[in-house]
Structures are given as structure tokens and as C-alpha cells.
Amino acid sequence: MPEIILHHYDNSPFGQIIRLCLAHKRLAWKSVEAPVVVPKPDLSVLTGGYERIPVLQIGADIYCDTAIITAALEDHMPEPSLYPAPFGVAAKMIALWSANSWFMPAVGVALGTNPDALPDAFWEDRGRRFGMQRETFLPMVPHLQSQFRGGAQLVKDALADGRAFIGGDHPGHADFALYVNMKFVEFAGVQPGDFGSNVANWLDRVAALGDGNREAWSAEQAIEHAGESDPVGGWSVAEDSGFSAGQMVSVTTESPDPAAPEGALEGLDDSRIVLSREHERTGEVHVHFPRLGQIVKPV
């Protein structure tokens, strides 16, 4: 059976989202600690150059970006769902809002109060890959702090009726994406109780999930496992996509990140992009991306 392997580091908010997903689904998984800043050569062996965290690996299938990782986990283990009733998959829109529009305000609170504590290598890395330049980021901190407070008020309002989780009685992706932003600001001394008892109790309920069944692995073990596994097939390229199966393409994000993994197009539709890649250390792997937020170009 293919192993579930998470390439991450503990302080990554997006990595924490996926650890909560794995714990919620009670899945055993292998933990590969990735560097905080580039280069990440072992990770690039698997992804073709994508170096954002987290990356999920299931055998020889590599999933880049939390949006496609959560979809992969839902396919792999449908129950308990990351999208429980009554919201269902509509909760994914809450998670996307938290991970995009509300994430940088959380960064502003968490990092903006003590920017000198961050090494130059951090700012160089985030500037090159995310456009987060120290000289433009720091003047924005007061605005970002106000935007975080506005988002936190929405969370507070949603939980004001005493519900256990954002969608009702059961946790899911929306809770995990909101949770990590609320926890991230603890770097600046913000405490759960600052948002009232309903929010603090909800944070405790989410935190109680923990990390699940986690076992440390090396990057070399993960690469070897990919080489011992076969990628899952069955993908197709939509006829109206403007691309054809087997065509060589690159995939880049809409951010300044220069990474542009290349491969033969294995699958493409409105939900995902799948590239087939070869490397001497892995053999064939399939690298998966969400369709939203990615740019596909012929090469």
C-alpha cells in the first residue's frame, strides 16, 4: 500500500491545516521535515521545482497546494469528511477565503510586531517567491492588523450561537483553515481568550485533534518510496482546455514565485492539473496542482 507522506515544517500554518486534516481522518502518515527557505533539493526531486509547503505524497503521486491536498485526502478517505453537513463542499469557500484573503492580515499581526527577529534569508526567500518585501510589507502592518481584527470578528460572530464548529456539530477544512490564522497570531502575544469564550473553546476543540498517527521519515525514504510505487492513472485532458494529453507544459502560480515545474500533461479539467514527470531517483511520478491559482503554459 502506498504511504501517506507530508513534506512540511511544524511552524507552517498551511502544514498545520493538513496535519489537522490527517488527524481528523485518523490516517497514519509519515513526516518529512522540509527546510523553511529555499533551496529544497529533495522536495524538488518529487515536484519538479515546486518548493512551497506543504506537499503531500501518496506513493508516486505528489500533491502541491493545500487545495489539491485536501481533495486528495477526501478521495483517499471519504469519511469522516472534511466537508460535513450542512455546509458540505460550500465550506471549502470559507477555507479558501481564510487561506488567501485573511492569511496576509494574520501574517501582519504575527510577524509585523517584531520584524527584526526574522533573518535576512527569510525576507529574501519570501520576497522572491511571494512578493513579500520587507520595505513594502512593514508599512502595511497597521492596515493588516485592522483587517485581521475584522476577520476575527466574523469568526466570533459565527460562533456566537454556541455551535461546536463553524459548520455545526462536526469539524472540517473550514475550521482548520480559520484555526491556523487564529493560532498564528500567538507569535505576537494574541491569546485565544482575547476573542471571547466561544472562540477560545472552539480553538481548544480543534487543537484536541492533534497531529494524529505521525512517524518521522527522511526525505531519502520518501524519494525511495516514490520509486517503489506507481502513480495512479485514469486522468484525462478536457477537450475544451486548449491542451492535449501528453503535451509538454509548465505550471506556475499566480504569485511571483519563479518555480515552473514541467511535465507531460496527464490530466486537466476545472479542478486539477496533473503532470507526468520522470527523475532518475523516482521513476515516473504524477504531480498534481489545483486549477485555481495556477497558470498552464506550453513549453
Side-chain angles (χ1 to χ4, degrees):
M1 290 292 292
E3 298 283 359
I4 299 173
I5 305 164
L6 184 64
H7 301 260
H8 68 130
Y9 54 86
D10 281 344
N11 284 336
S12 164
F14 293 97
Q16 189 171 24
I17 291 173
I18 303 307
R19 294 196 300 271
L20 288 165
C21 291
L22 290 163
H24 174 60
K25 288 184 173 293
R26 298 185 287 276
L27 288 166
W29 57 283
K30 312 302 182 187
S31 169
V32 176
E33 189 79 8
V36 175
V37 299
V38 297
K40 305 177 186 182
D42 290 323
L43 186 62
S44 287
V45 166
L46 296 166
T47 65
Y50 180 95
E51 295 179 309
R52 294 189 176 197
I53 295 298
V55 168
L56 185 79
Q57 175 185 349
I58 303 179
D61 284 88
I62 316 300
Y63 300 90
C64 303
D65 190 282
T66 55
I68 200 66
I69 292 173
T70 50
L73 290 175
E74 196 76 347
D75 290 343
H76 186 82
M77 179 71 75
E79 297 295 335
S81 177
L82 297 173
Y83 308 101
F87 282 6
V89 179
K92 183 169 284 192
M93 291 186 282
I94 298 174
L96 288 172
W97 170 80
S98 185
N100 290 280
S101 298
W102 198 39
F103 178 65
M104 281 308 297
V107 173
V109 175
L111 305 183
T113 54
N114 189 18
D116 293 335
L118 299 170
D120 289 342
F122 174 89
W123 288 108
E124 291 167 5
D125 177 82
R126 274 24 180 201
R128 187 174 70 89
R129 298 196 293 135
F130 300 98
M132 186 175 153
Q133 306 286 349
R134 177 164 26 194
E135 59 271 20
T136 55
F137 172 77
L138 294 181
M140 285 288 293
V141 165
H143 171 70
L144 294 172
Q145 291 170 332
S146 74
Q147 296 304 292
F148 180 82
R149 291 193 298 270
Q153 185 63 49
L154 292 177
V155 177
K156 186 175 180 179
D157 291 346
L159 296 167
D161 59 4
R163 66 182 63 197
F165 298 100
I166 291 296
D169 295 332
H170 304 286
H173 185 192
D175 293 276
F176 307 152
L178 294 166
Y179 169 89
V180 299
N181 285 353
M182 301 290 283
K183 295 296 287 184
F184 196 33
V185 299
E186 288 185 4
F187 281 111
V190 180
Q191 297 300 312
D194 296 342
F195 304 106
S197 60
N198 286 335
V199 173
N201 292 338
W202 163 74
L203 288 166
D204 286 343
R205 284 189 287 271
V206 175
L209 289 169
D211 280 356
N213 188 349
R214 169 178 177 168
E215 178 186 346
W217 260 28
S218 68
E220 184 60 36
Q221 285 177 289
I223 291 169
E224 288 179 359
H225 183 64
E228 296 164 353
S229 306
D230 295 318
V232 175
W235 308 108
S236 61
V237 176
E239 292 183 1
D240 61 352
S241 67
F243 295 89
S244 57
Q247 182 177 357
M248 290 298 296
V249 300
S250 67
V251 177
T252 56
T253 72
E254 291 178 342
S255 75
D257 194 331
E262 296 181 1
L265 193 58
E266 188 77 15
L268 177 63
D269 58 24
D270 289 338
S271 298
R272 77 172 64 209
I273 307 157
V274 185
L275 302 185
S276 174
R277 290 185 42 80
E278 296 270 353
H279 192 281
E280 60 182 9
R281 295 174 66 188
T282 63
E284 183 186 14
V285 296
H286 285 178
V287 186
H288 303 247
F289 302 87
R291 191 65 185 93
L292 279 175
Q294 313 298 319
I295 302 167
V296 184
K297 294 181 180 179
V299 296

